[in-house]
Amino acid sequence: MTNNRDFDSVDFYNIDELLTDEQKLIRGTVRDFVTKEISPFIEDWYENSHFPLEIVKKMGETGIFGPNVDQRYGGGGMDNISYGLIMQELERGDSGMRSTASVQSSLVMYPIEAYGSEEQKKKYLPKLASGEILGCFGLTEPDFGSNPGGMITKLEDHGDYYLLNGSKMWISNSPIADIAVVWAKDENKRIKGVIVEKGMEGFSAPKTEGKLSLRSSLTGELVFNDVKVPKDNILPRKDGLGAPLGCLDKARYGISWGAVGVAMDCYDCAKKYSLERKQFDKPIASFQLVQKKLAEMLTEITKAQLLCWRLGKLIDSGDVTSSHISLAKRNNVEVALKIAREARQIHGGMGITNDFPMMRHMMNLESVITYEGTHDIHLLILGNEITGIPAFS
Ligand code: TGC
Ligand code: FAD
C-alpha cells in the first residue's frame, strides 16, 4: 500500500506571516523529504513493523539531526521555530520517523553538547549529525517509568572505569543504536549520564516485540551486566535528575509541533474525502454534522499552531519554563488524537484501512501520549506550577 496523495498545509490564521524565509525554506525541504522518502513507503513499513535503516543516513544528509546543535560540531545552528517545523513535517509522515529524529537530536546530541566534554562533542556529534551513527536514550526502567528518580541502574567506581549494572526498558532505537546515553546512579545515589557504546562487553539491546503502535520505529531494552564504562564516557558537566529531564524538555517541545503535523494530515484527508464522497445524493461535506467536525478540527489546529509558535519564541528568548512545554505537549497530542479519530469517522469504513493514514496516526499517538511524560504527568506538572503543591507522590 502506498500513501501518495497530495498534502495541502493548513494555515487559517496566516501564521506563515510570522515565519522567516529561512524557516519556510527549512520546512519546505523537510516536507519534500517526507513526500519523497517516507509517505510512499510508510504503510508497508508500518504493516511489516519495519524500520528502514537507510533513512538514518538520508535524514542526516537532509540536515534533520541536531538542528539546534552548534555548526562547529556538524549541527544546523538553527532557531527553535525551525526545529519545530522539522518535527511537524516529519510527524505528518509518521510519528515513528519523528521519534527517530527526536531521540537523535534532543535526547542524544543535546546532552552530549550541553553536558559533555569537548572530546565527547568532537567524537560523537558530527557522526550523529550526518547519520553515520545512531543513538538512543536510556532513562525508563521496568519499575520506574513516570518516576525516573527511583531508578536502580547503578555505576560503581573502579578507579579508571565505572562498572554499570541494571536495565532500561522501552528504549526507542535501542536494538540498532551505535551509542546509548544512559542514566544511572553512582554510589552517592547521584544520577549521572554515561555514553555506552555498542559492542562493550556485557551490554545487549534486545528488541521489544508485539507493539501495535509506532510500528515503523524499533523499541527495545538496554541490559548492562558488569559493563566496564571508561571514565571518559561520563557526561561531566551536569548530574542529578534535572540532567535527563532537561533533555526531555527539548524532545517534548518537538512533539508539540509533531502533533500538529499529524492533525493537519488527518484534517486534510477528511476535508478532501468529505467533498468527494456522496451519500443521499450529496457530498457528505454538505451535512452539518460533518461540517461541525471539520470546523472544530480547524479551530483546534489553529490554536495548537499558535501555541507552538509562541513556545518556540519563548525558548529562543530564554523565557520558557518546563510547564510551558508540558502545556503544549499535553494539549497538542490530545488534540491530534481527537482529530485522528474524527477524521477516521468521516471516512466511514474506508477509514479503517491503510488506504488512509488516520488509523496509523491514531495508534502511533497512543505511544506519543504516553512517552516523554504521560498525559496525566503533564497535568500534574501544570498543577504543581499553579498551586505550588507537587501531587506526584
Ligand atoms: P522533581 O523533584 O520535581 O525534580 C528533580 C530535579 O529535576 C528538576 N526538573 C527539571 N529540570 C529540567 N527540566 C525539567 N522538565 C525538570 N523537571 C524537574 C528539578 O528542578 C529538580 O532539580 P534539583 O536541582 O532541585 O534536583 O522530580 P520528581 O522525581 O518529583 O519528578 C517529577 C516528574 C514526575 C515531573 C518527572 O519525574 C517526570 O517528568 N516524569 C516523567 C518521566 C518521563 O517523561 N520519561 C520520559 C522517558 S524518555 C522517553 O519517553 C523518550 S520517547 C522518545 C521518542 O521515541 O520520541
Ligand atoms: P507508568 O509510570 O507505570 O504509568 C502507568 C499509568 O499510571 C499512567 O497512566 C500514568 O499517567 C499513571 N501514573 C503514574 N504515576 C502517577 C501519578 N503520580 N499520579 C497519577 N497517575 C500516575 N523511555 C526512555 O527512557 N527512552 C526512550 O527512548 C523511550 N521510548 C519509548 C518508546 C515507546 C514506544 C514507549 C511506549 C515508551 C518509551 N519510553 C522511553 C518510556 C516512556 O517514557 C514511559 O512509558 C512513560 O514515561 C510512562 O512510564 P510507564 O510506561 O512505566 O508507565
Side-chain angles (χ1 to χ4, degrees):
M1 183 60 227
T2 60
N3 184 358
N4 254 336
R5 93 202 137 73
D6 289 337
F7 166 70
D8 292 315
S9 189
V10 185
D11 188 11
F12 192 58
Y13 266 28
N14 197 11
I15 296 167
D16 265 19
E17 206 175 87
L18 302 172
L19 303 180
T20 64
D21 288 344
E22 196 188 344
Q23 288 162 350
K24 285 187 252 188
L25 191 69
I26 291 163
R27 180 184 59 190
T29 303
V30 182
R31 184 166 293 173
D32 290 347
F33 174 83
V34 168
T35 303
K36 186 162 160 259
E37 302 287 353
I38 296 178
S39 300
F41 316 107
I42 188 62
E43 301 299 345
D44 282 340
W45 295 341
Y46 197 87
E47 190 171 336
N48 298 315
S49 194
H50 171 68
F51 176 76
L53 199 50
E54 62 282 2
I55 203 85
V56 175
K57 201 92 215 299
K58 290 180 183 172
M59 283 186 181
E61 283 161 6
T62 311
I64 283 171
F65 296 141
N68 292 145
V69 167
D70 196 315
Q71 287 172 319
R72 282 184 300 144
Y73 304 112
M78 295 174 202
D79 58 56
N80 279 289
I81 303 286
S82 302
Y83 172 57
L85 288 165
I86 292 174
M87 294 300 163
Q88 172 187 290
E89 293 306 313
L90 282 177
E91 195 144 4
R92 172 178 76 78
D94 187 68
S95 302
M97 295 293 117
R98 194 270 309 137
S99 245
T100 301
S102 287
V103 172
Q104 184 92 334
S105 299
S106 299
L107 300 182
V108 178
M109 295 179 75
Y110 172 74
I112 293 175
E113 186 178 39
Y115 315 144
S117 65
E118 192 55 32
E119 293 68 34
Q120 289 167 345
K121 290 189 222 184
K122 283 187 184 144
K123 180 174 177 190
Y124 297 110
L125 290 177
K127 288 184 182 168
L128 288 159
S130 67
E132 189 181 332
I133 62 170
L134 186 69
C136 68
F137 176 87
L139 180 66
T140 305
E141 297 188 0
D143 292 327
F144 299 95
S146 297
N147 176 26
M151 70 174 68
I152 51 176
T153 296
K154 61 177 185 188
L155 282 167
E156 256 175 44
D157 194 335
H158 280 250
D160 53 352
Y161 64 88
Y162 282 103
L163 209 55
L164 178 64
N165 275 292
S167 65
K168 300 286 173 179
M169 194 177 177
W170 293 117
I171 308 304
S172 298
N173 298 342
S174 85
I176 46 166
D178 301 286
I179 62 168
V181 170
V182 176
W183 302 93
K185 281 183 182 160
D186 69 10
E187 286 103 331
N188 302 318
K189 307 281 177 227
R190 191 77 185 153
I191 293 174
K192 288 200 155 90
V194 285
I195 303 168
V196 180
E197 295 188 6
K198 190 180 191 164
M200 283 183 172
E201 209 178 321
F203 170 42
S204 59
K207 184 179 166 192
T208 301
E209 304 286 355
K211 265 168 44 212
L212 299 179
S213 169
L214 229 64
R215 286 172 62 82
S216 69
S217 156
L218 290 178
T219 312
E221 297 169 49
L222 297 172
V223 182
F224 313 108
N225 233 323
D226 281 342
V227 181
K228 284 185 183 173
V229 182
K231 285 219 162 146
D232 284 350
N233 286 32
I234 293 281
L235 297 176
R237 295 196 295 137
K238 190 164 167 88
D239 54 17
L241 185 58
L245 292 180
C247 309
L248 296 186
D249 275 354
K250 301 277 166 200
R252 291 166 177 174
Y253 166 68
I255 290 173
S256 309
W257 282 88
V260 172
V262 171
M264 291 199 300
D265 197 38
C266 292
Y267 168 79
D268 183 47
C269 280
K271 179 179 151 190
K272 286 173 179 155
Y273 186 84
S274 68
L275 288 165
E276 283 165 13
R277 172 73 176 165
K278 288 193 175 140
Q279 286 295 290
F280 302 95
D281 303 320
K282 290 191 215 159
I284 58 170
S286 59
F287 302 126
Q288 286 182 356
L289 288 176
V290 172
Q291 290 189 7
K292 176 174 187 287
K293 285 184 171 59
L294 293 171
E296 286 176 353
M297 286 182 201
L298 181 61
T299 306
E300 292 307 322
I301 289 170
T302 305
K303 283 152 67 178
Q305 287 171 326
L306 289 168
L307 272 184
C308 283
W309 182 84
R310 178 65 188 145
L311 190 59
K313 286 286 174 196
L314 285 173
I315 298 178
D316 279 341
S317 65
D319 297 318
V320 80
T321 65
S322 297
S323 34
H324 287 144
I325 296 172
S326 284
L327 186 151
K329 193 262 183 187
R330 182 173 187 277
N331 179 77
N332 291 8
V333 176
E334 184 176 43
V335 159
L337 197 45
K338 282 187 179 153
I339 288 175
R341 286 184 185 135
E342 294 283 56
R344 210 285 311 147
Q345 287 195 41
I346 287 179
H347 286 72
M350 285 308 293
I352 70 154
T353 70
N354 64 1
D355 283 355
F356 296 96
M358 292 83 59
M359 280 295 282
R360 174 173 51 80
H361 282 318
M362 207 190 299
M363 290 196 286
N364 280 338
L365 287 169
E366 291 296 338
S367 287
V368 182
I369 205 164
T370 295
Y371 67 32
E372 298 281 2
T374 68
H375 197 60
D376 286 346
I377 287 295
H378 288 294
L379 179 139
L380 296 178
I381 291 171
L382 288 170
N384 188 16
E385 174 75 25
I386 296 163
T387 64
I389 306 168
F392 307 110
S393 54

Short mmCIF file of all heavy atoms in Angstrom, two decimals, residues 108-142:
data_model
loop_
_atom_site.label_atom_id
_atom_site.label_comp_id
_atom_site.label_asym_id
_atom_site.label_seq_id
_atom_site.Cartn_x
_atom_site.Cartn_y
_atom_site.Cartn_z
N VAL A 108 20.03 12.63 22.48
CA VAL A 108 21.41 12.13 22.37
C VAL A 108 22.36 13.30 22.07
O VAL A 108 23.30 13.55 22.83
CB VAL A 108 21.51 11.02 21.31
CG1 VAL A 108 22.95 10.54 21.16
CG2 VAL A 108 20.60 9.84 21.69
N MET A 109 22.09 14.04 21.01
CA MET A 109 23.01 15.15 20.68
C MET A 109 22.94 16.25 21.72
O MET A 109 23.96 16.81 22.12
CB MET A 109 22.69 15.69 19.27
CG MET A 109 22.94 14.65 18.19
SD MET A 109 22.56 15.22 16.53
CE MET A 109 23.94 16.30 16.20
N TYR A 110 21.72 16.59 22.16
CA TYR A 110 21.61 17.68 23.15
C TYR A 110 22.40 17.40 24.43
O TYR A 110 23.23 18.23 24.84
CB TYR A 110 20.13 18.01 23.47
CG TYR A 110 20.03 18.98 24.61
CD1 TYR A 110 20.34 20.33 24.43
CD2 TYR A 110 19.69 18.55 25.89
CE1 TYR A 110 20.31 21.23 25.49
CE2 TYR A 110 19.65 19.44 26.96
CZ TYR A 110 19.96 20.78 26.75
OH TYR A 110 19.93 21.66 27.80
N PRO A 111 22.22 16.23 25.10
CA PRO A 111 23.01 16.03 26.32
C PRO A 111 24.51 16.00 26.08
O PRO A 111 25.28 16.44 26.92
CB PRO A 111 22.50 14.69 26.87
CG PRO A 111 21.76 14.04 25.76
CD PRO A 111 21.26 15.14 24.88
N ILE A 112 24.93 15.49 24.91
CA ILE A 112 26.38 15.47 24.65
C ILE A 112 26.86 16.91 24.48
O ILE A 112 27.90 17.30 25.02
CB ILE A 112 26.71 14.59 23.42
CG1 ILE A 112 26.41 13.12 23.75
CG2 ILE A 112 28.18 14.75 23.02
CD1 ILE A 112 26.58 12.14 22.59
N GLU A 113 26.08 17.73 23.78
CA GLU A 113 26.51 19.12 23.59
C GLU A 113 26.44 19.91 24.91
O GLU A 113 27.34 20.66 25.26
CB GLU A 113 25.67 19.83 22.53
CG GLU A 113 26.22 21.23 22.26
CD GLU A 113 25.47 22.01 21.18
OE1 GLU A 113 24.23 21.92 21.13
OE2 GLU A 113 26.13 22.72 20.41
N ALA A 114 25.34 19.71 25.65
CA ALA A 114 25.13 20.55 26.85
C ALA A 114 25.91 20.05 28.06
O ALA A 114 26.36 20.86 28.87
CB ALA A 114 23.64 20.59 27.17
N TYR A 115 26.09 18.74 28.20
CA TYR A 115 26.71 18.21 29.42
C TYR A 115 28.05 17.51 29.16
O TYR A 115 28.70 17.04 30.09
CB TYR A 115 25.79 17.17 30.10
CG TYR A 115 24.31 17.54 30.22
CD1 TYR A 115 23.31 16.56 30.09
CD2 TYR A 115 23.90 18.85 30.47
CE1 TYR A 115 21.96 16.87 30.21
CE2 TYR A 115 22.54 19.16 30.57
CZ TYR A 115 21.58 18.17 30.44
OH TYR A 115 20.25 18.47 30.54
N GLY A 116 28.40 17.35 27.86
CA GLY A 116 29.58 16.55 27.53
C GLY A 116 30.88 17.34 27.54
O GLY A 116 30.88 18.59 27.60
N SER A 117 32.00 16.61 27.47
CA SER A 117 33.32 17.25 27.38
C SER A 117 33.57 17.64 25.93
O SER A 117 32.89 17.15 25.01
CB SER A 117 34.40 16.25 27.83
OG SER A 117 34.44 15.17 26.91
N GLU A 118 34.57 18.45 25.71
CA GLU A 118 34.94 18.87 24.35
C GLU A 118 35.28 17.63 23.50
O GLU A 118 34.87 17.53 22.35
CB GLU A 118 36.14 19.83 24.45
CG GLU A 118 36.46 20.58 23.17
CD GLU A 118 35.29 21.35 22.57
OE1 GLU A 118 34.42 21.86 23.30
OE2 GLU A 118 35.23 21.42 21.32
N GLU A 119 36.00 16.68 24.11
CA GLU A 119 36.41 15.47 23.37
C GLU A 119 35.17 14.67 22.96
O GLU A 119 35.07 14.17 21.84
CB GLU A 119 37.31 14.56 24.24
CG GLU A 119 38.67 15.14 24.57
CD GLU A 119 38.62 16.34 25.51
OE1 GLU A 119 37.72 16.36 26.40
OE2 GLU A 119 39.42 17.27 25.35
N GLN A 120 34.20 14.56 23.88
CA GLN A 120 32.98 13.81 23.55
C GLN A 120 32.22 14.50 22.43
O GLN A 120 31.71 13.85 21.51
CB GLN A 120 32.09 13.70 24.80
CG GLN A 120 32.65 12.76 25.86
CD GLN A 120 31.93 12.90 27.20
OE1 GLN A 120 31.19 13.86 27.43
NE2 GLN A 120 32.16 11.94 28.08
N LYS A 121 32.16 15.83 22.48
CA LYS A 121 31.43 16.56 21.43
C LYS A 121 32.07 16.31 20.07
O LYS A 121 31.39 16.06 19.08
CB LYS A 121 31.45 18.06 21.73
CG LYS A 121 30.60 18.43 22.94
CD LYS A 121 30.50 19.93 23.02
CE LYS A 121 30.65 20.39 24.44
NZ LYS A 121 30.47 21.83 24.60
N LYS A 122 33.42 16.40 20.05
CA LYS A 122 34.11 16.22 18.75
C LYS A 122 34.00 14.78 18.26
O LYS A 122 33.90 14.52 17.07
CB LYS A 122 35.59 16.57 18.93
CG LYS A 122 35.83 18.07 18.98
CD LYS A 122 37.32 18.33 18.98
CE LYS A 122 37.62 19.81 19.14
NZ LYS A 122 38.81 20.06 19.94
N LYS A 123 34.01 13.86 19.21
CA LYS A 123 33.99 12.44 18.82
C LYS A 123 32.62 12.01 18.27
O LYS A 123 32.53 11.29 17.29
CB LYS A 123 34.36 11.57 20.05
CG LYS A 123 34.37 10.09 19.76
CD LYS A 123 34.89 9.29 20.94
CE LYS A 123 34.82 7.79 20.66
NZ LYS A 123 35.10 6.99 21.85
N TYR A 124 31.54 12.45 18.94
CA TYR A 124 30.23 11.89 18.59
C TYR A 124 29.34 12.81 17.74
O TYR A 124 28.58 12.33 16.91
CB TYR A 124 29.46 11.52 19.87
CG TYR A 124 30.13 10.45 20.70
CD1 TYR A 124 30.70 10.75 21.93
CD2 TYR A 124 30.18 9.13 20.24
CE1 TYR A 124 31.32 9.76 22.69
CE2 TYR A 124 30.79 8.14 21.00
CZ TYR A 124 31.35 8.45 22.23
OH TYR A 124 31.96 7.47 22.97
N LEU A 125 29.36 14.12 18.01
CA LEU A 125 28.32 14.98 17.41
C LEU A 125 28.36 15.01 15.87
O LEU A 125 27.29 14.86 15.25
CB LEU A 125 28.39 16.39 17.99
CG LEU A 125 27.93 16.50 19.46
CD1 LEU A 125 28.09 17.94 19.98
CD2 LEU A 125 26.49 16.04 19.63
N PRO A 126 29.53 15.15 15.23
CA PRO A 126 29.49 15.18 13.75
C PRO A 126 28.92 13.89 13.16
O PRO A 126 28.16 13.94 12.18
CB PRO A 126 30.96 15.39 13.37
CG PRO A 126 31.58 16.03 14.57
CD PRO A 126 30.88 15.43 15.76
N LYS A 127 29.26 12.76 13.76
CA LYS A 127 28.77 11.49 13.21
C LYS A 127 27.26 11.32 13.46
O LYS A 127 26.55 10.73 12.64
CB LYS A 127 29.51 10.31 13.85
CG LYS A 127 30.95 10.20 13.37
CD LYS A 127 31.59 8.98 13.97
CE LYS A 127 33.05 8.89 13.52
NZ LYS A 127 33.79 7.90 14.28
N LEU A 128 26.79 11.83 14.60
CA LEU A 128 25.35 11.77 14.87
C LEU A 128 24.61 12.70 13.92
O LEU A 128 23.53 12.37 13.40
CB LEU A 128 25.06 12.17 16.32
CG LEU A 128 25.48 11.14 17.38
CD1 LEU A 128 25.63 11.81 18.75
CD2 LEU A 128 24.46 10.00 17.47
N ALA A 129 25.18 13.87 13.65
CA ALA A 129 24.53 14.84 12.76
C ALA A 129 24.40 14.30 11.34
O ALA A 129 23.38 14.49 10.68
CB ALA A 129 25.33 16.15 12.76
N SER A 130 25.43 13.60 10.88
CA SER A 130 25.40 13.12 9.49
C SER A 130 24.61 11.82 9.33
O SER A 130 24.37 11.37 8.21
CB SER A 130 26.84 12.90 9.00
OG SER A 130 27.41 11.82 9.73
N GLY A 131 24.25 11.21 10.46
CA GLY A 131 23.53 9.94 10.38
C GLY A 131 24.48 8.76 10.22
O GLY A 131 24.04 7.63 9.97
N GLU A 132 25.78 9.01 10.37
CA GLU A 132 26.74 7.89 10.29
C GLU A 132 26.53 6.95 11.48
O GLU A 132 26.70 5.74 11.36
CB GLU A 132 28.15 8.47 10.30
CG GLU A 132 29.23 7.46 10.00
CD GLU A 132 30.62 8.10 10.05
OE1 GLU A 132 30.74 9.32 9.79
OE2 GLU A 132 31.57 7.36 10.38
N ILE A 133 26.19 7.53 12.62
CA ILE A 133 25.83 6.68 13.77
C ILE A 133 24.47 7.11 14.33
O ILE A 133 24.05 8.26 14.14
CB ILE A 133 26.91 6.69 14.89
CG1 ILE A 133 27.10 8.10 15.48
CG2 ILE A 133 28.22 6.12 14.41
CD1 ILE A 133 27.97 8.12 16.74
N LEU A 134 23.83 6.17 15.01
CA LEU A 134 22.50 6.41 15.59
C LEU A 134 22.60 6.23 17.11
O LEU A 134 23.29 5.33 17.58
CB LEU A 134 21.51 5.41 15.00
CG LEU A 134 20.04 5.59 15.38
CD1 LEU A 134 19.46 6.86 14.75
CD2 LEU A 134 19.21 4.39 14.89
N GLY A 135 21.89 7.09 17.84
CA GLY A 135 21.93 7.00 19.30
C GLY A 135 20.57 6.66 19.90
O GLY A 135 19.54 6.72 19.22
N CYS A 136 20.59 6.27 21.17
CA CYS A 136 19.34 6.09 21.92
C CYS A 136 19.53 6.64 23.32
O CYS A 136 20.65 7.01 23.71
CB CYS A 136 18.89 4.62 21.92
SG CYS A 136 19.96 3.53 22.87
N PHE A 137 18.43 6.72 24.07
CA PHE A 137 18.42 7.42 25.37
C PHE A 137 17.79 6.49 26.40
O PHE A 137 16.61 6.14 26.27
CB PHE A 137 17.57 8.68 25.19
CG PHE A 137 17.34 9.52 26.41
CD1 PHE A 137 18.24 10.51 26.78
CD2 PHE A 137 16.18 9.38 27.15
CE1 PHE A 137 18.00 11.33 27.88
CE2 PHE A 137 15.92 10.20 28.26
CZ PHE A 137 16.84 11.18 28.62
N GLY A 138 18.55 6.11 27.40
CA GLY A 138 18.04 5.15 28.38
C GLY A 138 17.75 5.78 29.72
O GLY A 138 18.66 5.98 30.53
N LEU A 139 16.48 6.08 29.96
CA LEU A 139 16.07 6.61 31.26
C LEU A 139 15.09 5.64 31.94
O LEU A 139 15.29 5.24 33.08
CB LEU A 139 15.40 8.00 31.07
CG LEU A 139 14.91 8.67 32.36
CD1 LEU A 139 16.09 9.03 33.27
CD2 LEU A 139 14.13 9.96 32.03
N THR A 140 14.05 5.24 31.21
CA THR A 140 12.98 4.42 31.78
C THR A 140 13.48 3.01 32.16
O THR A 140 14.24 2.40 31.40
CB THR A 140 11.84 4.28 30.75
OG1 THR A 140 11.43 5.59 30.36
CG2 THR A 140 10.66 3.50 31.30
N GLU A 141 13.03 2.53 33.30
CA GLU A 141 13.36 1.16 33.73
C GLU A 141 12.08 0.36 33.92
O GLU A 141 10.99 0.95 34.02
CB GLU A 141 14.14 1.23 35.05
CG GLU A 141 15.47 1.95 34.87
CD GLU A 141 16.37 1.89 36.09
OE1 GLU A 141 15.98 1.28 37.11
OE2 GLU A 141 17.46 2.46 36.00
N PRO A 142 12.20 -0.96 34.01
CA PRO A 142 10.97 -1.77 34.15
C PRO A 142 10.08 -1.28 35.30
O PRO A 142 8.86 -1.25 35.17
CB PRO A 142 11.51 -3.18 34.41
CG PRO A 142 12.84 -3.20 33.73
CD PRO A 142 13.40 -1.80 33.85
#
